[in-house]
Amino acid sequence: MGLFSKSDSTPSSSNSTTIIAHGTKIEGKILVQGKLHIDGYVEGKIEIDNSLSIGKKGGAKGEVFAKKVMVSGFFEGSIESDVVEIVSGGKIVGKIVCEDLIIEQKGIFIGESLRKNGSSIDTKKVNSPEQKPEQNAK
C-alpha cells in the first residue's frame, strides 16, 4: 500500500486505509474516504465514510462520525456510529450513539450510551463517576 502514487487512478474508498503511525500527533478536523487506523494520537473531529480503528498504543480525543468504530487503545469524547466495539484492553470515556455496542471482557466504557433506533433514540446509561442525579420535572 502506498500513500503517494504517480497513477491517475483513484483507489476505491472501501479498500483504502489511512494509517496514523505511532509517534504521530494530529490536531484538527480529519475527513477520510475509506478506513482510518490510529496508532498515534488524534485530537479533534474525525469524519469517516467507513470504519475507524484505534490500535493498542493509539489514542484519540474529540468527536467521531463513522460506520464502525473499534477501540483497542483509548478514546475520549463522543462517537456516532452504527457499530462501536471496545476490545479487550480498549477504553472509551464519553458518549456513544450507536445501533450496536459491543464490549469485550476487559474492555472499559465510562459514560453514556444512546441507542439509535430508526428516528427515535432510547437512552441507556452506564454507571459513571461523573453522573449526577436527575432533577425533578416541573
Side-chain angles (χ1 to χ4, degrees), residues 44-57:
K45 186 174 186 177
I46 302 170
E47 295 182 24
I48 305 168
D49 72 352
N50 200 318
S51 65
L52 166 68
S53 61
I54 300 175
K56 288 186 180 197
K57 295 184 179 182

Side-chain angles (χ1 to χ4, degrees), residues 33-73:
Q33 289 184 343
K35 300 173 185 175
L36 175 63
H37 180 81
I38 300 172
D39 281 327
Y41 182 77
V42 174
E43 188 169 331
K45 186 174 186 177
I46 302 170
E47 295 182 24
I48 305 168
D49 72 352
N50 200 318
S51 65
L52 166 68
S53 61
I54 300 175
K56 288 186 180 197
K57 295 184 179 182
K61 181 177 183 178
E63 296 176 276
V64 169
F65 301 90
K67 287 185 181 177
K68 182 177 180 181
V69 176
M70 186 173 80
V71 178
S72 301

Side-chain angles (χ1 to χ4, degrees), residues 43-122:
E43 188 169 331
K45 186 174 186 177
I46 302 170
E47 295 182 24
I48 305 168
D49 72 352
N50 200 318
S51 65
L52 166 68
S53 61
I54 300 175
K56 288 186 180 197
K57 295 184 179 182
K61 181 177 183 178
E63 296 176 276
V64 169
F65 301 90
K67 287 185 181 177
K68 182 177 180 181
V69 176
M70 186 173 80
V71 178
S72 301
F74 177 77
F75 178 81
E76 180 180 351
S78 64
I79 297 173
E80 186 171 326
S81 179
D82 292 341
V83 179
V84 175
E85 183 175 355
I86 306 170
V87 301
S88 180
K91 182 176 183 178
I92 295 178
V93 176
K95 181 177 179 178
I96 298 172
V97 178
C98 65
E99 292 177 14
D100 295 312
L101 175 58
I102 302 158
I103 304 173
E104 289 184 5
Q105 188 174 5
K106 296 191 180 178
I108 299 170
F109 173 57
I110 301 171
E112 180 179 13
S113 168
L114 303 173
R115 183 174 171 90
K116 285 186 189 180
N117 189 7
S119 60
S120 65
I121 297 176
D122 299 324

Side-chain angles (χ1 to χ4, degrees), residues 4-23:
F4 301 99
S5 172
K6 293 183 181 182
S7 170
D8 289 334
S9 66
T10 305
S12 169
S13 67
S14 63
N15 293 332
S16 62
T17 301
T18 301
I19 299 172
I20 298 173
H22 180 68

